[in-house]
Amino acid sequence: MAESTIVSNTENLMKYMKLDQKGAVLAEYIWIDGTNGIRTKTKTLSKPVKDYKELPEWNFDGSSTGQAPGDNSDVYIRPCAIFPDPFRGGDNILVLTETWDPDGTPNKFNYRHECVRLMDANAKQQPWFGLEQEYTILGPDGWPYGWPKGGYPAPQGPYYCGVGTGKVFCRDIVEAHYKACLYAGIKISGINAEVMPSQWEFQIGPCEGIELGDHLWVARYLLYRVAEEFGAKITIEPKPVKGDWNGTGLHTNVSTAEMRKDGGMKAIEDACKKLGERHEEHILVYGEGNAERMTGEHETASIDKFSYGVANRGASIRIPRQCAKEGKGYLEDRRPASNACPYRITGVIMETIFGGQEGVDLSKAES
């Protein structure tokens, strides 16, 4: 696997992982920091838990994560979902949390709280989401894994959904991540190699409402942790390599109850028109560095123009041909960058199609 300066000896570690925990349970608390990154720390519990509501609130130093000033640094993390831990096994769990300030208000980077309000207000619409998370695997030197040192592989063409040495790289990381997600109960629906070598994709969904964001964030955490063990790095930057190489996106598939009914194409087209009217507001929360990716080339639309069409991967919104044929189904928003927050993506889509909620601001951290 990747040449690495990280010390990891799995055989020695396993001796300790098998030790009896004497009834204790390890809970890995996960939160999203002020840079759209992931942070975690572990709490020992006295017994197994079955519901996140059984878990205590905890706190961390927000001045070290870009979420609070040094003179008032405590930020609180409140559990909101739990998953089986594929690394520690047994009754040990992963705990997804929201960040809250000492005054009892959501931290300004707590987009989940905003998204929940929008999902709850529109629960009757039964929104289904499926997100396609693209990412690139790098070596410790920061260059795509398997690429010549300081150089480039053959042009794009044979790598997408490829098979065989020289066409795909790091499949072991991808397979390990897939199994870890399944063990954790993540609604991962598939994987594939992408257009650029060392670029991969996994799909989360369909999930209803807030569940999509929860499952995607935990799937990202699992990907980073798996890559640690192989001495590789993961980047979700939207344009990791400049030049004639595909960027990485987070294509977002959206379907509502009305879209899934016979004649649902009208609801799909109405949604596309509404999404076009708020194009700039969406781009604002669709990820940093997206302008480098959305150039109108490499299966993207121009970041400055909105468009939609059937089976058009160069449009902002693609309506799958099968949906057009059946007259119902879903739409695919191809604008989100790979590093975008799924709570902000799904939240702003609900806001645009069905209307906002007083006090909800999905762009608050930029203000």
Side-chain angles (χ1 to χ4, degrees):
M1 195 50 223
E3 180 184 349
S4 175
T5 58
I6 299 169
V7 176
S8 179
N9 190 314
T10 302
E11 185 178 357
N12 284 346
L13 173 63
M14 291 311 297
K15 293 189 299 184
Y16 301 98
M17 296 299 286
K18 293 175 181 177
L19 293 176
D20 186 359
Q21 294 180 189
K22 307 296 183 183
V25 170
L26 304 183
E28 192 74 11
Y29 277 54
I30 302 167
W31 73 94
I32 302 152
D33 69 14
T35 64
N36 202 43
I38 296 173
R39 308 284 181 132
T40 75
K41 62 179 186 175
T42 311
K43 177 180 279 291
T44 302
L45 307 176
S46 61
K47 61 181 181 180
V49 298
K50 299 298 183 183
D51 192 293
Y52 75 87
K53 295 175 184 177
E54 301 175 52
L55 293 165
E57 184 179 89
W58 206 6
N59 62 77
F60 65 90
D61 170 17
S63 69
S64 295
T65 64
Q67 290 168 283
D71 60 356
N72 188 19
S73 63
D74 285 358
V75 177
Y76 295 86
I77 39 182
R78 297 180 183 177
C80 54
I82 60 173
F83 303 83
D85 186 339
F87 304 111
R88 293 172 172 144
D91 291 324
N92 302 305
I93 55 175
L94 307 176
V95 183
L96 184 65
T97 67
E98 287 189 9
T99 51
W100 288 73
D101 290 337
D103 63 1
T105 60
N107 185 265
K108 71 176 184 176
F109 298 101
N110 181 355
Y111 297 113
R112 186 183 189 277
H113 176 74
E114 312 286 294
C115 189
V116 166
R117 289 188 58 194
L118 289 162
M119 295 302 175
D120 287 350
N122 296 288
K124 66 181 181 181
Q125 308 295 343
Q126 299 174 24
W128 294 359
F129 299 98
L131 267 64
E132 305 168 21
Q133 176 68 73
E134 295 179 339
Y135 61 95
T136 307
I137 303 175
L138 310 176
D141 59 356
W143 198 235
Y145 189 81
W147 288 34
K149 297 294 183 183
Y152 299 88
Q156 295 180 157
Y159 310 112
Y160 173 69
C161 296
V163 178
T165 301
K167 294 182 179 178
V168 293
F169 303 93
C170 301
R171 192 185 292 274
D172 44 3
I173 290 177
V174 177
E175 292 288 341
H177 173 248
Y178 202 169
K179 287 294 189 74
C181 284
L182 292 171
Y183 179 93
I186 299 298
K187 291 186 176 179
I188 184 169
S189 50
I191 58 172
N192 61 269
E194 268 300 335
V195 177
M196 188 179 81
S198 290
Q199 183 187 62
W200 289 82
E201 173 185 299
F202 64 87
Q203 301 93 34
I204 299 295
C207 297
E208 187 166 340
I210 198 64
E211 183 182 54
L212 186 284
D214 292 350
H215 282 232
L216 183 60
W217 271 114
V218 175
R220 283 179 175 176
Y221 162 75
L222 293 173
L223 179 60
Y224 293 135
R225 282 284 282 105
V226 166
E228 275 184 30
E229 299 189 10
F230 288 86
K233 296 179 180 179
I234 301 296
T235 180
I236 53 173
E237 289 300 306
K239 190 69 175 178
V241 181
K242 313 302 181 195
D244 194 17
W245 303 96
N246 272 37
T248 51
L250 188 57
H251 300 156
T252 300
N253 301 285
V254 184
S255 180
T256 64
E258 200 65 29
M259 294 178 186
R260 296 188 290 274
K261 292 179 180 177
D262 289 341
M265 182 56 69
K266 182 180 185 307
I268 292 172
E269 291 178 342
D270 288 346
C272 289
K273 293 171 184 176
K274 289 180 180 179
L275 291 166
E277 290 170 359
R278 298 189 74 219
H279 177 64
E280 292 182 3
E281 288 87 341
H282 281 250
I283 292 300
L284 183 63
V285 299
Y286 274 6
E288 294 186 13
N290 208 10
E292 292 188 57
R293 167 182 162 265
M294 291 189 66
T295 60
E297 300 180 347
H298 302 110
E299 300 180 74
T300 68
S302 169
I303 197 168
D304 299 320
K305 299 178 182 178
F306 178 84
S307 60
Y308 71 92
V310 174
N312 185 357
R313 283 180 163 77
S316 308
I317 306 288
R318 179 180 72 95
I319 300 171
R321 188 170 298 283
Q322 188 65 26
C323 295
K325 181 179 179 181
E326 295 179 358
K328 61 182 178 181
Y330 67 97
L331 62 85
E332 178 193 46
D333 191 338
R334 299 179 58 81
R335 295 173 294 174
S338 49
N339 59 3
C341 172
Y343 297 133
R344 301 178 85 181
I345 296 172
T346 57
V348 76
I349 288 172
M350 295 301 290
E351 184 178 70
T352 295
I353 297 176
F354 299 112
Q357 293 292 302
E358 185 177 355
V360 169
D361 182 5
L362 291 160
S363 62
K364 57 187 176 179
E366 274 78 31
S367 58

